[in-house]
Amino acid sequence: MQPGRRVRTALLVAALAGTLGTVYWASRLPSEPAADDRLVSAEVPRGAKQRSTIEEAARAGGPLDLNRLQRPKSAGPTDDLFGARDFTPKPRPAQRPIAQPAAVAAMPPEPLAPPPPPPPFTYMGRLAEGGQTTVFLAHGDRNLVVRVGDVIDNTYQVEEIGATLLVLTYLPQNLKQTMSIGAPQ
């Protein structure tokens, strides 16, 4: 037997012994009804007939109203259980438009410009000569040599060449973009 099974078996035997002990102890307790139980249930001697509570109340003329015990008639149609039914949803009530100030209602919403595409260039290297830096880029199968102020394909203009960044302007939207060009050597 495995150690885990031994522990589980020992726990089950202990729980069974505890349950049996509790049942034995509870069976030995005196069975006196509580004061509230005596009011609710009265013992009827064997052989005696117990009358119905409804019959007793009716004979005594108590406040029991037998008409209230009858089920009211159904309000729904019960004559044709399998007849055609209309389950189409009811139309929604018309909603009132929300009133807006005249100035806001007259202005058309401003269309959002799509973000510019990321620069399509791959950094190949740089050359620094006498205070002027030249950057070598690849665009598809073309190699480009650019300096500050150059325009590439009428789409990008080189604004600044930094130590680790190349700043380009996307000309169709006049938005500046940066491109990482690595550390200088």
Side-chain angles (χ1 to χ4, degrees):
M1 240 176 142
Q2 298 174 352
R5 289 185 93 179
R6 288 182 188 161
V7 171
R8 187 182 333 150
T9 303
L11 287 173
L12 287 172
V13 168
L16 178 63
T19 303
L20 291 174
T22 304
V23 168
Y24 179 75
W25 173 73
S27 68
R28 295 288 186 185
L29 289 175
S31 60
E32 288 185 22
D36 294 340
D37 291 344
R38 286 187 213 143
L39 296 175
V40 174
S41 64
E43 291 187 27
V44 177
R46 288 187 184 184
K49 288 187 175 181
Q50 184 178 13
R51 288 188 236 165
S52 168
T53 310
I54 296 175
E55 291 174 5
E56 288 178 6
R59 288 184 189 153
L64 183 62
D65 184 14
L66 294 178
N67 292 330
R68 291 182 58 195
L69 295 177
Q70 294 178 356
R71 177 180 285 173
K73 291 189 177 184
S74 173
T78 58
D79 50 346
D80 189 12
L81 293 177
F82 300 105
R85 303 275 191 260
D86 183 20
F87 292 104
T88 57
K90 296 178 181 168
R92 292 183 180 178
Q95 295 180 351
R96 294 187 323 198
I98 299 173
Q100 295 181 355
V104 174
M107 293 177 31
E110 198 172 297
L112 297 175
F121 310 113
T122 305
Y123 173 71
M124 301 300 287
R126 83 169 81 215
L127 175 64
E129 291 180 324
Q132 189 173 12
T133 304
T134 304
V135 176
F136 301 97
L137 302 173
H139 182 170
D141 60 347
R142 296 176 26 212
N143 293 325
L144 304 170
V145 179
V146 297
R147 295 187 181 108
V148 175
D150 289 350
V151 177
I152 306 168
D153 295 334
N154 290 328
T155 308
Y156 290 95
Q157 181 175 1
V158 180
E159 296 291 328
E160 179 183 342
I161 300 174
T164 59
L165 290 176
L166 175 65
V167 180
L168 301 167
T169 299
Y170 183 64
L171 296 175
Q173 294 179 351
N174 199 25
L175 294 173
K176 291 192 179 197
Q177 295 179 306
T178 59
M179 185 175 145
S180 177
I181 58 172
Q185 296 178 352

